[in-house]
Each structure stands twice: as C-alpha cells, then as structure tokens.
Amino acid sequence: MSSSGPPLVAGIEAGGTKFNVVVGTSHEDIRARARINTTNPKETIGEVVKFLLGCKRRFGPVSAFGIGSFGPLDLDPKSRTYGFITSTPKKGWQHFDFVTALAAYARLPTGFDTDVNAAALGEYSWGEGIGADPLVYITVGTGVGGGAILNGQPLHGLVHPEMGHIHVPAPPSGEVLFANCQCPYHKSCLEGYVCGPAIAARWGVRTDRIPDDHPAVEDTAATLAHGLANIILTLSPRKIILGGGVMKMRGLLPQVRSHLVKVLNGYVTAPAILHDIDRYVVAPGLGDDSGVAGAIALAIRALHKA
Ligand code: ZN
C-alpha cells in the first residue's frame, strides 16, 4: 500500500450544513471525496471516520488531518480548549473538541483553522492567491467571513479575524426598504446587510434568482465595497478573493470592483487598484474547492511541523 510519493492526507471542510471531506496528496491529486450532512457531532464525525476507513482500505492510511471549520474556534495551541469549536450558535456543536474527536480515530498531526483561513490558504497554495501576500479571502453566503494569509501563514491573533462583522454604512436601498441589519449582535455590520438571507429578506427574492439588472445587485455591491475598503485600509492585501454563494449573483463582482474604486476615491494609489482592479478583486481560482484544498494544505503543513 505504501509508496515513496508525497504523503496521503485527509482534508475536512466543516460547514454548518455540510462537511466536505477529501483524501489526497495535494489539491491536484484528490483520490476520493465525500459530502456529509452536518447533524450532531457524534453522527457527523462517525460518517467522516466511516469514509476515512473506506479510503484506508483503498489507498492506505493517511498521515495527517487538516480541518477548516465553521466557528468561532479556539486556535491558541497553549489554550486548554485548543481545537474546540467554541460559542457557535449551531445547536449541539458548542464547545465541541474537534481535534480530539478525530484523534480518537487516529492520533495524527492535525492542522486546525477557520473555514475562511483554510480557503485563503487553499487559494494561496494552488489558486488565485499564489504569490499574493497578504492575501484576503472573503466568503459571502449564508454568512460573511474573511480569512487572511500574512507572511505565508493564516492570520490568527487574539482569537481570529471576524471580517464579516466590520461595520459599514447601510445599503443605499436601506431607507426605502426599511431594511435593517440582520445580525443579532450588531446594528450595521457587513454580514447583517449582505449575507444571502439578509438580501433575500430585503428584496423578497432568493439571491440565485436575482437577474443582473435587479437593483439588489448594485445595492449589495455598494455595501460590499465599503467592507472591502475597510479591509484594504487595514491589512493592505495584495489580492482579495471573493467566494461564496451570493457572489454567484450575476453581475455582482464587476459592480463590487467599480464601487470599491469609488469608495477608496483615489486615496490608495496602488496601480493594482487604479488600473488593474479586475485582477485585484477576483473570484476563487479553485471554484468551490478553496476550502477543501486549504484543508489539505493545513494537513501537509501540520505534517511538516511534526
Ligand atoms: Zn454582526
């Protein structure tokens, strides 16, 4: 079963509605993948282990795990609750010891990070983010989140960045539609205005049914542009990647770019923004695979560290 090639690892993208699990040696060599519904931890991890056991019979054992998870998470290796999902609103997953749950299957080097840091790392390793450092990856979907790569490493800190909750002006349609921020914690944050459910509530239509000439497109773009401007002014990323289901709204990405240039208003004079915005704010190079690719990269990094 063993070979002298690069080591086989398992990558887990843990989302609030589904887990994507892959086994391979890199994003370019994924041998098997599974999509598992997120129910309760016992059942979901049980399904992950079942898949990994099947892969073990076919390809041999994996050497490391990489997990990119919904959060919030404890990423501090010195903390007693390192490897936990912490205060998530997701029922049954509060204070779940993710890393230890996998160690019960096999004690292996395990990379653990947020879903968005993993997606950033996936794009940095194999996608649109190659050579871009700092790199920011934002997902706009059921929620809004951001991950970053800084000096080649996923950005942590006190906890980890929560870019979805930066404060932005209300969408231009706000007064007309009496659309409030939908975030239970904040009165005017990015996620509360532009996550899929917020857009659907404001306009009464699902984001995948919005045509590109609908006013919701520009309204969403204008608000997202304020969020991106804040991030550019804070982290000075060399590239921003926008993923997630809402970004599949037709016509949204080009409008985000043009609004972003307007919001920055010539203050940041980098040619990347003034002349090359189409290559500065981009869609993921790996499509919907940024997260699983990042989970593989986390596993490979954990293995090298061990
Ligand atoms: Zn918020």
Side-chain angles (χ1 to χ4, degrees), residues 164-165 181 183 185-186 189 191-192:
H165 296 268
C181 174
C183 174
Y185 292 91
H186 308 121
C189 78
E191 173 171 293

Side-chain angles (χ1 to χ4, degrees), residues 19-36:
F19 274 42
N20 289 310
V21 190
V22 295
V23 164
T25 64
S26 85
H27 175 254
E28 280 125 11
D29 174 35
I30 291 177
R31 309 272 175 89
R33 56 169 76 215
R35 181 182 261 243
I36 293 162

Side-chain angles (χ1 to χ4, degrees), residues 193-225:
Y193 287 135
V194 303
C195 68
I199 297 168
R202 183 175 311 120
W203 296 96
V205 55
R206 273 171 41 178
T207 56
D208 56 348
R209 303 222 173 114
I210 292 176
D212 55 4
D213 58 354
H214 192 285
V217 179
E218 181 163 17
D219 195 58
T220 304
T223 309
L224 262 173

Side-chain angles (χ1 to χ4, degrees), residues 95-109:
H95 311 292
F96 170 58
D97 186 353
F98 207 146
V99 169
T100 303
L102 271 184
Y105 160 67
R107 296 188 73 84
L108 295 173

